[in-house]
C-alpha cells in the first residue's frame, strides 16, 4: 500500500479547466472520497492518479515515486468503475484472473490469489458461474475481486455502486468498509453522493468547479464546513441559509435579529453581508428552549408543508414576513423559508403559527460575498455589557 500526493494538479481541456490547482495528500491505508456535483472534476482528478489522463500542470506521486508521466500499468493502481464490463463468455474465475494471466503468473499463484479475493468479497462457491447468472451486486463484487488479485498499492474506484439499486448500494457500502479494514488498503473513491462519502471515508475531499473546497473527516466537513458550498453540499436535507447584515450588536435578517458582537467575528465589520447557516435539526420550537445551552430570541414562523419520513418529519416553515407575502413567492426558492426536522410524535400541523429558536452553539456564519465560513457556533459572541466578564469566565 502507498500514499498518494497531488501537487498543484491542473487539467485543462481547451478553454475549460476541469481540475484547478489541486494539492492534497492521501496517507498510506487511508480511504479518501472525492465528492461533489456532476462535472466538478472528481473523475478527472482520479484519472490523473490512474494515469488515464496527463495533468496540464502539476505532479502526481504514489509512494515516493513521481508517476506523473508513467503508464497506468506501471503505477501499481487497480481500478473499479461504474460499468464493470465483465467478459460475458468467461466464468467468474476467468474474469477475476484475466489480468494475472496477462502478467504470466503460474497457475498455483493465480488460483491462490483468486480464491483469496473471492473469499474477501464473499463470492466463494460462485467461481464457475457465468456473469449472466449473477445479480448486479455480485457482478460488482467480481469487478472488485479483479482489482484485489492484482495486489495494488492503491485502489481507485469511480462510482462503483452507481448502477446498483438503493438497498444493494447501502449493503455494498458496508462491504467496502470491511474490505478497506481487511486489506488496510489505500482507496480513492469517487461519488456524487454525499451520503456515500460520509459513511465510508476516513476523509472526504469536496470539489466544486475543479477546485478543492475542503479535505477533512466527514464530521468535520459536517460540523465545520469551510464555506457555503461545503455547508450546502454535505448533509441531507441541506443546511438552511438566511442572508443578513451585521449591525451594531447583531446580525439582522429580514425576519429576525441574532445577538452577536460584530467586533468579535473575524474578518468582517458592521455593514458587511453575512449569511447565517443552521441545519434543520438545530431549529427548535420555543417550548424546548430550556433544553438548549444557548437559544436565540424567538422567531415567528408559520408551518407550511410537512414531509413525514418515518423516523422524522421535515417541516417547511415560512418566516413571518414571508408568511404575509407568501402568495407572491415560490416557497421552494424563498429566502424566507426554513426547514426544520422534528420527531414523528410532533403536534405541529400545516398552516399553524409556530415560535422557533435556534441553538446558538450550532449557528454558522459565512461571509456572503466570498462564501468563506467566519465562525461555527456563536455562543460566546454576544456583545458584552461594559465591565462584565466573558461567558464562562466566572471565577
Ligand atoms: P465529475 O467526475 O466530477 O462529474 P469530470 O472530471 O468528469 O467531472 O469532468 C470535469 C469537467 O471536465 C467537465 O466539465 C467535463 O465536461 C470536462 N471533461 C472531462 N473529460 C473531458 C474530455 N475528455 N474532454 C473534454 N472535456 C472533458
Amino acid at each position: 500500500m502507498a500514499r498518494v500526493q497531488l501537487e498543484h494538479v491542473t487539467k485543462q481541456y481547451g478553454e475549460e479547466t476541469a481540475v484547478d490547482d489541486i494539492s492534497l495528500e492521501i496517507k498510506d491505508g487511508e480511504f479518501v472520497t472525492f465528492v461533489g456535483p456532476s462535472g466538478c472534476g472528481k473523475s478527472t482528478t482520479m484519472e490523473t492518479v490512474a494515469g488515464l489522463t496527463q495533468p496540464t500542470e502539476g505532479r502526481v506521486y504514489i509512494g515516493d515515486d513521481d508517476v506523473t508521466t508513467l503508464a497506468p500499468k506501471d503505477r501499481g493502481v487497480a481500478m473499479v468503475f461504474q460499468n464493470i464490463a465483465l467478459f460475458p463468455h468467461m466464468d467468474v474465475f476467468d474474469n477475476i484472473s484475466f489480468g494475472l494471466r496477462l502478467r504470466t503468473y503460474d497457475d498455483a499463484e493465480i488460483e491462490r490469489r483468486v480464491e483469496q479475493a473471492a473469499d474477501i468479497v464473499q463470492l466463494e462457491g460462485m467461481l464457475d458461474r457465468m456473469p449472466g447468472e449473477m445479480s448486479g451486486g455480485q457482478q460488482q463484487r467480481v469487478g472488485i475481486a479483479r482489482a484485489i488479485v492484482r495486489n495494488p498499492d492503491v485502489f481507485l474506484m469511480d462510482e462503483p455502486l452507481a448502477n446498483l439499486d438503493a438497498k444493494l448500494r447501502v449493503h455494498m457500502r458496508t462491504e467496502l468498509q470491511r474490505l478497506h479494514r481487511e486489506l488496510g488498503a489505500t482507496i480513492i473513491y469517487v461519488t456524487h453522493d454525499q451520503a456515500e462519502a460520509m459513511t465510508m471515508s476516513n476523509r472526504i475531499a469536496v470539489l466544486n468547479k475543479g477546485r478543492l473546497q475542503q479535505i477533512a473527516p466527514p464530521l468535520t466537513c459536517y460540523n465545520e464546513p469551510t464555506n457555503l458550498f461545503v455547508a450546502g453540499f454535505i448533509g441531507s436535507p441541506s443546511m438552511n441559509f438566511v442572508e443578513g447584515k451585521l449591525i451594531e450588536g447583531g446580525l439582522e435578517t429580514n425576519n429576525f435579529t441574532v445577538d452577536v458582537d460584530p467586533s468579535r467575528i473575524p474578518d468582517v465589520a458592521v455593514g458587511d453581508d453575512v449569511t447565517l447557516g443552521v441545519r434543520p435539526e438545530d431549529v427548535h420550537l420555543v417550548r424546548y428552549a430550556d433544553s438548549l445551552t444557548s437559544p436565540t430570541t424567538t422567531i415567528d414562523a408559520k408551518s407550511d408543508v410537512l414531509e413525514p419520513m418515518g423516523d422524522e418529519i421535515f417541516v417547511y416553515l415560512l418566516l413571518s414576513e414571508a408568511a404575509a407575502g407568501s402568495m407572491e413567492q415560490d416557497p421552494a426558492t424563498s429566502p424566507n423559508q426554513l426547514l426544520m426536522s422534528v420527531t414523528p410524535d410532533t403536534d405541529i400541523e400545516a398552516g399553524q403559527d409556530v415560535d422557533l429558536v435556534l441553538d446558538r452553539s450550532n449557528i454558522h456564519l459565512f461571509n456572503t460575498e466570498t462564501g468563506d465560513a467566519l465562525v461555527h457556533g456563536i455562543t460566546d459572541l454576544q456583545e458584552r455589557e461594559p465591565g462584565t466578564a466573558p461567558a464562562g469566565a466566572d471565577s
Side-chain angles (χ1 to χ4, degrees):
M1 297 303 152
R3 68 189 258 281
V4 175
Q5 189 178 358
L6 304 188
E7 238 178 50
H8 299 292
V9 167
T10 292
K11 177 68 188 182
Q12 228 135 2
Y13 289 109
E15 290 291 287
E16 185 174 346
T17 307
V19 178
D20 192 357
D21 194 20
I22 289 190
S23 295
L24 55 84
E25 186 177 345
I26 295 161
K27 297 185 202 76
D28 185 13
E30 205 179 10
F31 191 142
V32 169
T33 300
F34 295 167
V35 69
S38 180
C40 72
K42 308 178 291 289
S43 297
T44 308
T45 307
M46 177 135 105
E47 284 163 13
T48 67
V49 180
L52 301 175
T53 283
Q54 293 272 317
T56 316
E57 279 174 51
R59 315 299 306 173
V60 179
Y61 300 87
I62 296 179
D64 294 327
D65 301 327
D66 182 341
V67 300
T68 314
T69 56
L70 282 190
K73 67 178 175 45
D74 299 325
R75 295 187 178 210
V77 298
M79 287 169 269
V80 183
F81 293 105
Q82 177 175 346
N83 297 312
I84 29 177
L86 300 180
F87 297 110
H89 57 285
M90 287 185 191
D91 66 13
V92 170
F93 185 97
D94 287 344
N95 263 290
I96 295 177
S97 61
F98 184 75
L100 296 182
R101 290 191 191 287
L102 294 180
R103 285 166 186 244
T104 63
Y105 287 97
D106 68 43
D107 284 352
E109 175 64 10
I110 289 175
E111 198 157 318
R112 191 188 67 76
R113 287 197 189 199
V114 171
E115 276 172 11
Q116 189 188 29
D119 194 36
I120 291 170
V121 297
Q122 297 177 336
L123 282 175
E124 317 93 322
M126 296 192 194
L127 291 175
D128 54 0
R129 293 248 189 119
M130 302 304 278
E133 299 169 333
M134 308 184 90
S135 69
Q138 288 167 336
Q139 292 189 28
Q140 198 55 272
R141 282 190 248 162
V142 176
I144 294 168
R146 196 163 59 183
I148 293 173
V149 288
R150 296 188 43 205
N151 198 16
D153 292 329
V154 182
F155 285 88
L156 303 175
M157 303 190 178
D158 194 344
E159 304 254 10
L161 309 184
N163 286 348
L164 306 181
D165 65 50
K167 195 165 168 220
L168 192 52
R169 224 166 33 228
V170 171
H171 172 68
M172 289 297 288
R173 287 201 313 229
T174 58
E175 293 210 354
L176 284 175
Q177 286 185 69
R178 191 172 45 76
L179 176 79
H180 177 236
R181 199 178 56 230
E182 281 179 18
L183 296 178
T186 308
I187 299 180
I188 305 180
Y189 191 96
V190 162
T191 181
H192 64 279
D193 178 349
Q194 61 90 30
E196 219 166 271
M198 290 289 283
T199 47
M200 291 194 295
S201 330
N202 297 123
R203 285 189 300 159
I204 56 185
V206 185
L207 274 69
N208 187 35
K209 297 182 179 160
R211 295 195 75 103
L212 179 64
Q213 308 289 311
Q214 183 165 19
I215 178 164
L219 284 180
T220 305
C221 292
Y222 189 83
N223 293 321
E224 295 165 35
T226 188
N227 58 28
L228 281 169
F229 178 81
V230 177
F233 191 79
I234 299 294
S236 178
S238 276
M239 187 183 279
N240 294 291
F241 296 119
V242 183
E243 290 187 6
K245 198 178 259 307
L246 284 179
I247 56 171
E248 291 294 346
L251 173 66
E252 186 179 54
T253 74
N254 271 348
N255 313 95
F256 58 91
T257 300
V258 175
D259 287 346
V260 61
D261 178 357
S263 71
R264 303 176 69 193
I265 307 173
D267 304 327
V268 280
V270 169
D272 285 348
D273 291 330
V274 164
T275 298
L276 177 151
V278 63
R279 294 206 180 271
E281 66 268 28
D282 298 320
V283 180
H284 304 273
L285 290 177
V286 77
R287 76 172 105 117
Y288 299 121
D290 287 349
S291 64
L292 305 178
T293 40
S294 181
T296 58
T297 50
T298 307
I299 299 168
D300 300 333
K302 197 187 248 312
S303 62
D304 185 19
V305 176
L306 270 61
E307 262 182 8
M309 303 300 290
D311 57 341
E312 60 185 336
I313 297 181
F314 298 137
V315 184
Y316 290 82
L317 301 154
L318 298 169
L319 296 175
S320 58
E321 298 260 303
S326 62
M327 298 301 283
E328 298 102 60
Q329 287 182 332
D330 173 4
T333 57
S334 164
N336 296 312
Q337 196 180 49
L338 273 188
L339 178 62
M340 169 190 198
S341 83
V342 294
T343 51
D345 56 1
T346 184
D347 54 8
I348 301 177
E349 291 173 13
Q352 183 187 332
D353 286 330
V354 285
D355 291 335
L356 308 171
V357 289
L358 310 179
D359 189 347
R360 292 176 62 90
S361 56
N362 292 315
I363 286 178
H364 308 258
L365 299 182
F366 302 88
N367 183 325
T368 307
E369 200 181 315
T370 62
D372 291 340
L374 299 166
V375 283
H376 305 290
I378 58 166
T379 311
D380 295 327
L381 298 185
Q382 280 110 318
E383 208 161 35
R384 284 180 212 148
E385 297 293 327
T388 58
D394 53 0
S395 56

